Amino acid sequence: MPEFLFVGLALFTALAASYTDLCRDRIIPDTLTLPAIAVGVSLHLAFGLWEGNPYRALSGMLGASLAFLLSYLLWYLGGWAGGDVKLLTAFGALLPTHSPPSSVPPYADLPLFPLTILFNTVILTLPFLGIYSLLCLLRGKNPFYERVRITELREGMIPAEYLYEREGKIRREEALLSLGPPPSGRRFTDPRRASGLTRAQIRVLRRLVREGRVEDHLKVKKGVPFAPFLAVGLLSALCYGDLYWALVLRLTSLL
């Protein structure tokens, strides 16, 4: 019974997040993910204490911690937004362990099921991103960035370049995967900020355009709704198992 409860809660969270990410301005609300994290950690703690199993009691917290660390790294590299981080953390809190019907990895008894979800998500997402990138390139467009007029910027857009002032001059610097330290000086944009541009930042940028100090364009990241991909990764992990481990076994058998 507890296993079906946790699976049901995880699937509900995945479906709700996919809907909001696709249909509600690509936002995964905290009112969905934070309660899911709290419920997952609390229920595993309650069941573990009831069974007298300390490992079970701490499993929700361990799964959530692993999921958070993995997704935080992707957020730091600029690939994910904050909602994606909290969604995978919710999956880790609800399903720290799971024994799938097929392709069971050797670490199935450990609270590493979020790793399986992430592996499956990446493996299933790569073909889609490859086709999408190819189509964009054939049309002469960048698949991940676009140039937007500063006067048309909207709150929440994530810049793909630093716009900063140093020694009295406004400078631009591309942020490739948000690696490396940010440039020194007064920064008007910060690509590392997952929530994107604020209204105050947009007002300052528009003022700089009116003053003629900045050209009226800014490179921004194209928003990709990752919640549906995470939902597919979760569903495939539940129904099949670890795709990465299946590939490893397949490659090993060919050698």
Side-chain angles (χ1 to χ4, degrees):
M1 176 61 183
E3 183 71 14
F4 287 107
L5 173 63
F6 290 118
V7 169
L9 288 172
L11 289 175
F12 170 79
T13 303
L15 290 174
S18 298
Y19 170 75
T20 59
D21 203 14
L22 287 171
C23 305
R24 296 290 181 87
D25 296 327
R26 294 180 179 174
I27 292 176
I28 304 174
D30 290 347
T31 53
L32 172 67
T33 53
L34 295 183
I37 295 171
V39 167
V41 172
S42 300
L43 285 180
H44 281 292
L45 179 62
F47 281 119
L49 292 176
W50 177 264
E51 298 168 358
N53 186 341
Y55 175 74
R56 172 68 182 276
L58 295 175
S59 62
M61 187 178 301
L62 293 173
S65 299
L66 171 66
F68 176 77
L69 290 174
L70 292 171
S71 51
Y72 179 82
L73 176 62
L74 292 172
W75 170 84
Y76 183 79
L77 295 175
W80 275 14
D84 305 315
V85 173
K86 285 170 275 192
L87 180 59
L88 184 60
T89 303
F91 292 164
L94 292 167
L95 291 170
T97 61
H98 179 71
S99 296
S102 181
S103 185
V104 181
Y107 45 80
D109 293 331
L110 299 175
L112 298 177
F113 191 61
L115 189 62
T116 294
I117 298 173
L118 183 59
F119 280 155
N120 286 18
T121 301
V122 172
I123 291 172
L124 295 173
T125 301
L126 284 177
F128 171 83
L129 289 180
I131 295 172
Y132 167 75
S133 300
L134 179 60
L135 292 175
C136 286
L137 292 173
L138 291 175
R139 295 175 182 174
K141 298 180 179 180
N142 189 299
F144 304 110
Y145 307 116
E146 60 182 340
R147 182 172 290 188
V148 177
R149 293 172 64 91
I150 290 177
T151 51
E152 297 175 356
L153 288 174
R154 299 189 306 274
E155 183 180 8
M157 285 185 167
I158 302 177
E161 60 182 345
Y162 288 102
L163 196 64
Y164 62 100
E165 182 177 12
R166 190 167 62 200
E167 298 176 353
K169 295 182 179 180
I170 305 294
R171 307 169 188 267
R172 296 175 185 265
E173 183 176 316
E174 289 195 9
L176 300 176
L177 294 178
S178 299
L179 296 176
S184 60
R186 181 189 177 190
R187 294 193 296 274
F188 302 106
T189 63
D190 189 350
R192 300 174 304 168
R193 191 173 185 272
S195 56
L197 293 167
T198 64
R199 293 181 182 179
Q201 287 176 315
I202 293 174
R203 285 197 297 267
V204 171
L205 292 171
R206 289 175 177 173
R207 176 172 57 79
L208 293 174
V209 171
R210 289 195 302 269
E211 294 173 353
R213 302 182 64 192
V214 174
E215 294 182 10
D216 188 15
H217 64 83
L218 184 71
K219 186 180 291 186
V220 300
K221 298 178 182 179
K222 291 183 178 179
V224 177
F226 274 105
F229 293 115
L230 280 169
V232 171
L234 170 66
L235 188 61
S236 63
L238 290 171
C239 297
Y240 177 75
D242 195 306
L243 294 177
Y244 172 75
W245 186 245
L247 290 174
V248 169
L249 293 178
R250 179 62 176 171
L251 291 174
T252 303
S253 65
L254 297 175
L255 296 179

